[in-house]
Amino acid sequence: MATFELYRRSTIGICLTDALDGMVQNGTLSPEHAIQVLVQFDKGHLHTYRFCDNVWTFILHKVFFKIDEREEEIAKLKIVACDSKLLSQ
């Protein structure tokens, strides 16, 4: 099994794929951009992730952000995310 298959079959990989599919279907994201996101996901250096009380926390190392033509490398990035539906309750 290739490494990307292992990552994509993880809970976070499945959720990412589902989210990208939804964005492509509603026209928010082009299929080409969705594939680019998955390729970057396959290459990523996810150090730690956890899901507790409906909140995802991700800690990534060596993250690259590209906005327009500018690219920045960040040594360590922490992302905290939750389901927006839970915020309205």
Side-chain angles (χ1 to χ4, degrees), residues 5-68:
E5 291 179 40
L6 178 65
Y7 287 147
R8 288 192 189 179
R9 290 183 184 180
S10 68
T11 302
I12 190 66
I14 293 168
C15 290
L16 175 62
T17 303
D18 289 346
L20 292 171
D21 286 344
M23 293 172 77
V24 168
Q25 288 176 4
N26 71 20
T28 306
L29 191 67
S30 71
E32 294 80 15
H33 282 112
I35 291 169
Q36 288 178 356
V37 170
L38 285 174
V39 168
Q40 290 302 313
F41 174 76
D42 296 338
K43 294 180 185 176
H45 299 283
L46 180 61
H47 183 267
T48 306
Y49 73 95
R50 66 179 74 79
F51 182 69
C52 181
D53 296 331
N54 290 315
V55 176
W56 281 102
T57 303
F58 305 94
I59 299 174
L60 300 100
H61 289 179
K62 297 183 181 177
V63 177
F64 289 90
F65 279 100
K66 185 173 183 181
I67 300 172
D68 297 324

Side-chain angles (χ1 to χ4, degrees), residues 65-81:
F65 279 100
K66 185 173 183 181
I67 300 172
D68 297 324
E69 298 301 317
R70 198 174 94 211
E71 187 172 301
E72 303 248 350
E73 180 180 358
I74 299 172
K76 185 176 180 182
L77 176 69
K78 181 177 183 180
I79 299 172
V80 179

